[in-house]
Amino acid sequence: CAAFSVHVAFYLWYGTPALDGRWLHWDHATLPHWTDHMNERFPPGKPFIPPDEPHSPYYPARGLYSSRDESVLREQMREIAAAGIDSVMLSWWGQAGKDFRRDSQGVSTDELVPAVLDAAAAAGVGVSWHVEPYGGRTPASVLDDLRYLHERFGAHPALWRQPPPAGSRDGSASDGSASDGSASDG
């Protein structure tokens, strides 16, 4: 086990007219910056116009893509693994069947999770969750989300699981406690 793990943010909100019926996030309007200089350089509210002017500081080598494109997901996960990255922290905007405000363009990421998990597992990359601040999010809704994620995806082999601490035996920490929080004979 390595001394540390490398995790990266992974966003599923990109879309193209060919797969999603319209541009998603590649055309996002510029957000206000906290300095006047940057606001002068990139006026807030100005929409970007893909494919020539996408809302991204870098133009993807493969071109603008849809997060729904499973071949792109597989390529991305292979590239992530080749870079030595252990897991992606998946930007997740809540359960698909719930009625609330999602990100600024209304993108729901929940239905894309199975394809991400499968592509990650095939590449040997773990997946963890970043529960985004969807409209109406509360401690109770987050608890419901965590239960949902666990029940629906908890057994998937791509789900990131923190390895036991160095020097532990059978998953128990060096202080004798089990890594799952239960008592250990130790």
Side-chain angles (χ1 to χ4, degrees), residues 44-58:
K46 178 188 177 282
F48 284 80
I49 305 166
D52 298 324
E53 229 185 277
H55 182 250
S56 175
Y58 307 102

Side-chain angles (χ1 to χ4, degrees), residues 39-66:
N39 283 328
E40 290 167 11
R41 189 170 169 202
F42 303 102
K46 178 188 177 282
F48 284 80
I49 305 166
D52 298 324
E53 229 185 277
H55 182 250
S56 175
Y58 307 102
Y59 199 94
R62 70 178 43 88
L64 303 186
Y65 59 87
S66 170

